[in-house]
Amino acid sequence: MTEEVPMSPDPKPNMLVVRNIGLMLSGDLGRPILDADTIVAVDGKITAIGKAGALDVSAASGVIDAMGCAVAPGLIDDHVHPVAGDWTPRQNQIGWMDSTVHGGVTTMISAGEVHTPGRPRDLVGLKALAIAAQRTFSNFRPSGMKILAGAPILEPGLVEEDFRYLAEAGVTLVGEVGLGGVKDGPTGRRMVAWARKYGMTSMTHTGGPSLPGSGRIGADTVLEVDADIVAHVNGGPTALPEAEIRQICEKGSRALEIVHNGNLRTGLFVLDLARQRGELSRIILGTDSPAGSGVQPLGILRTLTMLASLGGVAPELAFCFASGNTARVRGLHDRGMIEVGRAADLIFIDQAIGGAGDGLLDSVAQGNLPGIGMVVIDGEVRTGRSRNTPPAMRVPEVVQG
């Protein structure tokens, strides 16, 4: 006779409640500020947003009191070059990804693993590297960071079947067109179309050469390739002449990526063109790190602050450039905004102590970096007060759980 084993009860859902939020930045250009002071997340996903008195939070297993500070979606760095774990041979530096979490970035996206020593350029090798990078960085999450990697650098000889194979293996990205052997418009356009057919997003190197083997990619090639993203439109690090930048902005319709390791003057020129044309939805942000100038844990925060303070756009919109805009362009419907159904990737920010400005948004508008008091990824607290930003005036507290 077999004895019945009782079924174990379903585990209780993990409910996180974030209350007493002074300002909620949504990451959505259409509604950048939400009239709400409370967020509820269950098992890492946002389930409710609203006023504290209107939400049922009786089942909370964890409570964060924001203490009146602002909450924004975790930032997305659209342009990094990972290699192996949290180490980069570009600067022989360890811990740069973990440090970037302290800059409010919760997702990084590879623009190609080009710094890999001895990077293979044959077709078998480049596909193997892309799949290996996709696999390893899916499993490796320093301080909870989400790293989308495996971005093959295009080389002559790739055919449609190669892109189908890569997509079926889990590769969702194409690295900067122009960093490898494919530098001409017709070939790049054909390969980008194959990638798009299989759900992969792509980007084109823009500007002067950045590494040995890369080349100058001008406006005509960028427009002909028609990748989803004009990578470092402000130069990586060398920007094109303004006439070519204008041509890209006015004749193209793809996302315009402004990076920290580029030409700030050109970045402001691109932002102004997009603002005049009513096309701020095209602006996304990256760091293009690691680079010759190093790694920048605060690169995304610095870039959005510089654009808000010098570029004539409201700070709450600048935060969208580094969150909701990038999520939309990359097809990341599970993050990038404070919205029901998306991941509870949240940063708690406030005006830095001792600086000019009346509150967070005014201080950013005046060019001061905000202070980060906490980072939450998938509903879990990953950092307390940032070790990299200036100290925030108000810092959240975990009061339960």
Side-chain angles (χ1 to χ4, degrees):
M1 183 175 178
T2 305
E3 185 178 346
E4 266 189 41
V5 178
M7 297 286 289
S8 59
D10 291 334
K12 183 179 178 182
N14 181 21
M15 177 186 283
L16 172 69
V17 175
V18 182
R19 69 189 189 197
N20 196 21
I21 299 170
L23 173 69
M24 195 178 299
L25 303 176
S26 71
D28 180 359
L29 273 180
R31 191 172 56 148
I33 298 176
L34 300 178
D35 183 19
D37 60 17
T38 304
I39 298 171
V40 180
V42 175
D43 294 335
K45 298 287 186 183
I46 297 172
T47 57
I49 303 164
K51 297 289 188 179
L55 300 177
D56 180 8
V57 298
S58 57
S61 52
V63 178
I64 297 173
D65 187 334
M67 304 296 288
C69 74
V71 173
L75 306 178
I76 302 174
D77 186 340
D78 188 65
H79 197 130
V80 299
H81 293 290
V83 171
D86 205 351
W87 168 74
T88 168
R90 186 77 163 112
Q91 295 293 340
N92 196 25
Q93 183 166 332
I94 294 175
W96 67 283
M97 293 174 173
D98 173 76
S99 201
T100 301
V101 177
H102 283 260
V105 174
T106 57
T107 295
M108 284 180 167
I109 301 174
S110 175
E113 293 75 40
V114 294
H115 300 154
T116 302
R119 175 174 62 89
R121 297 170 186 261
D122 65 287
L123 303 191
V124 173
L126 75 85
K127 288 186 289 184
L129 176 61
I131 294 169
Q134 186 273 330
R135 294 286 197 277
T136 57
F137 283 103
S138 292
N139 298 323
F140 177 71
R141 296 185 56 181
S143 293
M145 169 80 77
K146 300 171 182 178
I147 304 160
L148 306 182
I153 302 300
L154 302 186
E155 297 288 349
L158 286 166
V159 297
E160 181 177 347
E161 174 63 18
D162 293 317
F163 292 90
R164 184 194 65 77
Y165 171 80
L166 286 166
E168 289 180 353
V171 173
T172 62
L173 310 169
V174 170
E176 295 177 62
V177 179
L179 290 185
V182 174
K183 296 179 174 64
D184 65 288
T187 305
R189 186 182 187 90
R190 182 170 65 253
M191 292 185 180
V192 161
W194 288 333
R196 192 173 286 132
K197 177 179 178 179
Y198 295 106
M200 303 163 73
T201 57
S202 57
M203 60 198 329
T204 314
H205 179 87
T206 309
S210 57
L211 291 169
S214 64
R216 183 188 192 277
I217 304 296
D220 290 342
T221 301
V222 169
L223 291 169
E224 187 167 13
V225 170
D226 193 37
D228 299 299
I229 296 162
V230 181
H232 46 58
V233 66
N234 62 320
T238 307
L240 295 172
E242 286 189 355
E244 290 190 69
I245 298 294
R246 182 181 293 276
Q247 185 182 354
I248 290 170
C249 295
E250 294 182 348
K251 292 187 177 181
S253 61
R254 301 299 183 180
L256 303 168
E257 181 193 77
I258 298 173
V259 299
H260 183 274
N261 284 328
N263 182 322
L264 177 58
R265 183 178 184 275
T266 302
L268 292 168
F269 178 71
V270 170
L271 178 62
D272 189 52
L273 283 175
R275 183 170 53 83
Q276 290 176 29
R277 294 169 58 82
E279 295 178 343
L280 290 180
S281 62
R282 295 175 66 188
I283 302 295
I284 63 176
L285 304 185
T287 55
D288 194 7
S289 63
S293 55
V295 299
Q296 295 80 29
L298 302 184
I300 296 295
L301 267 185
R302 281 177 51 81
T303 303
L304 72 85
T305 298
M306 287 188 289
L307 294 179
S309 59
L310 301 174
V313 296
E316 60 267 29
L317 298 182
F319 275 93
C320 299
F321 302 159
S323 52
N325 278 12
T326 310
R328 174 181 45 78
V329 169
R330 290 294 193 172
L332 303 176
H333 306 299
D334 61 343
R335 70 197 77 177
M337 294 188 210
I338 295 180
E339 182 179 74
V340 170
R342 302 209 182 214
D345 297 346
L346 309 170
I347 58 173
F348 295 72
I349 51 179
D350 198 24
Q351 178 177 0
I353 294 172
D358 182 17
L360 170 71
L361 297 181
D362 188 42
S363 69
V364 170
Q366 295 196 42
N368 282 323
L369 285 177
I372 294 177
M374 183 180 289
V375 176
V376 169
I377 303 178
D378 291 328
E380 295 185 30
V381 176
R382 300 294 186 166
T383 78
R385 188 192 289 271
S386 169
R387 64 175 183 253
N388 292 326
T389 66
M393 291 183 68
R394 290 170 290 193
V395 178
E397 295 181 3
V398 177
V399 295
Q400 178 183 331

